[in-house]
């Protein structure tokens, strides 16, 4: 049976379908991946997201962070892949989206149960008084952002290297993975722990793993039951049409 047909069959028969997403699902929104050809880490040094550097010398890295995650990414819009996941939720199959992405595009598309393993670039938190701000409330400039309430440094509310994963998101993601009987694994190399454990946890308790990725991932040697080598938008559009019997 063709892989797309198999995916459609497994989703229709699923009791607890979840999706685990990485940067690849946002490629068709114009946001580059981190790794592989044209990846961000080929162009920028990942140290720009070193936590201690930002906390103690924010002037060293803030301009690069602003350039990548706000000037460049900030205007991105959801693409057909994000909307396809919303459709799978609306027709009652998809229970949750566990995402490594910080671009808010799942929520912008209309997904209502999004677990953000690495936080969200559309929010800032004060490093001193912990007040949280929406991006829209702030006017970002080339100098590190300052808390309007207490005047101390604001930090983007996504995970920097060296920073702990938000405990609530981590626990919810692991719990959902244990309940999953079919998981869509979309656009991720599976190289960054502990997020990359999610598909392993699901597979270990018997879930059927449907991977959508035109390139490489660590899941392709024994974790994914099927690998659909197409872009997220292309594959998910066919899958949703099939699940809806169109
Ligand atoms: N559709 C689906 N997948 C795609 C597409 C596409 N159109 N284009 C590329 N891909 C795949 C690539 O083949 C690759 O496997 O998306 C994946 C992107 O991998 P990474 O760039 O490593 O992104 P990700 O796995 O999300 O990285 C995990 O690393 O730097 C950290 O915190 C950052 O959340 C990120 C984490």
């Amino acid at each position: 049976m063709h892989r797309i047909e198999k995916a459609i069959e497994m989703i229709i028969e699923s009791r607890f379908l979840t999706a685990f997403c990485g940067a690849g699902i946002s490629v068709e929104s114009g946001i580059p991946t981190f790794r592989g050809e044209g990846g961000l880490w080929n162009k920028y040094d990942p140290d720009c997201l070193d936590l201690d550097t930002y906390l103690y010398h924010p002037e060293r890295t803030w301009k690069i962070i602003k350039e990548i995650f706000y000037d460049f990414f900030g205007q991105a819009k959801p693409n057909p892949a994000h909307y396809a996941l919303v459709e799978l939720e609306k027709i009652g199959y998809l229970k949750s989206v566990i995402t490594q992405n910080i671009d808010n595009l799942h929520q912008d598309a209309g997904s209502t149960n999004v677990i953000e393993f690495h936080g969200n670039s559309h929010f800032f938190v004060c490093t001193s008084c912990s007040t949280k701000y929406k991006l829209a409330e702030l006017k970002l400039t080339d100098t590190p952002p300052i808390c309007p309430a207490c005047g101390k440094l604001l930090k983007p509310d996504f995970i920097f290297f060296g920073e702990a994963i938000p405990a609530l998101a981590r626990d919810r993601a692991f719990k959902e993975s244990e309940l999953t009987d079919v998981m869509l694994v979309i656009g991720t190399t599976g190289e960054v722990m502990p997020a990359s454990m999610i598909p392993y946890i699901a597979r270990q308790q018997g879930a059927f793993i449907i991977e959508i990725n035109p390139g490489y991932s660590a899941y392709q040697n024994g974790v994914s039951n099927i690998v659909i080598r197409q872009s997220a938008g292309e594959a998910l559009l066919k899958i949703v049409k099939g699940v809806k019997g169109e």
Side-chain angles (χ1 to χ4, degrees):
M1 175 187 286
H2 190 276
R3 291 181 191 131
I4 293 273
E5 270 74 45
K6 181 66 179 168
I8 291 164
E9 180 193 274
M10 294 307 293
I11 290 170
I12 289 172
E13 289 169 10
S14 68
R15 280 176 298 96
F16 202 95
L17 172 71
T18 55
F20 177 65
C21 300
I25 196 170
S26 296
V27 161
E28 291 152 271
S29 297
I31 295 182
T33 58
F34 290 98
R35 297 168 187 82
E37 201 181 318
L40 279 168
W41 297 146
N42 302 341
K43 190 175 168 198
Y44 295 99
D45 182 345
D47 281 351
C48 73
L49 289 183
D50 176 76
L51 182 63
D52 287 341
T53 306
Y54 185 76
L55 294 178
Y56 301 105
H57 304 284
E59 71 290 345
R60 289 187 191 164
T61 55
W62 165 249
K63 275 177 78 173
I64 291 228
I65 291 168
K66 176 174 174 286
E67 181 185 314
I68 303 171
F69 296 101
Y70 298 99
D71 302 346
F72 185 22
F73 284 4
Q75 323 312 327
K77 297 278 177 281
N79 69 62
H82 297 104
Y83 289 114
L85 293 183
V86 174
E87 197 55 23
L88 284 174
E89 177 187 331
K90 278 192 181 139
I91 57 181
Y93 289 100
L94 188 64
K95 307 301 182 213
S96 62
V97 176
I98 303 166
T99 192
Q100 301 171 87
N101 300 340
I102 59 173
D103 55 31
N104 205 67
L105 292 180
H106 295 293
Q107 294 92 325
D108 289 345
S111 288
T112 62
N113 187 10
V114 181
I115 301 171
E116 296 179 302
F117 216 81
H118 291 152
N120 185 317
S121 61
H122 288 213
F123 294 90
F124 281 74
V125 178
C126 179
T127 57
S128 174
C129 70
S130 300
T131 308
K132 197 163 180 175
Y133 297 92
K134 287 195 182 102
L135 175 59
E137 296 173 72
L138 302 167
K139 183 161 177 13
L140 300 183
T141 66
D142 281 351
T143 52
I146 296 300
C147 177
C150 76
K152 298 286 191 236
L153 177 68
L154 287 180
K155 178 185 166 297
D157 195 23
F158 61 83
I159 304 304
F160 282 34
F161 289 114
E163 190 172 358
I165 299 299
L168 183 62
R170 187 198 57 219
D171 296 349
R172 279 184 63 205
F174 288 168
K175 179 132 191 55
E176 300 271 310
S177 306
E178 283 156 11
L179 295 171
T180 294
D181 63 344
V182 179
M183 180 176 273
L184 288 160
V185 174
I186 307 165
T188 177
T189 47
E191 293 197 349
V192 173
M193 291 283 279
S196 57
M197 288 169 61
I198 300 287
Y200 290 99
I201 293 169
R203 177 69 197 254
Q204 262 164 5
Q205 54 80 12
F208 186 88
I209 308 295
I210 301 165
E211 183 176 355
I212 299 173
N213 191 333
Y216 157 82
S217 90
Y219 304 119
Q220 288 161 19
N221 54 0
V223 179
S224 299
N225 293 90
I226 53 175
V227 181
I228 298 170
R229 294 219 174 275
Q230 294 175 20
S231 74
E234 187 185 353
L236 285 169
L237 278 179
K238 291 174 195 167
I239 287 170
V240 167
K241 274 167 77 94
V243 167
K244 291 170 74 174
E246 288 170 356

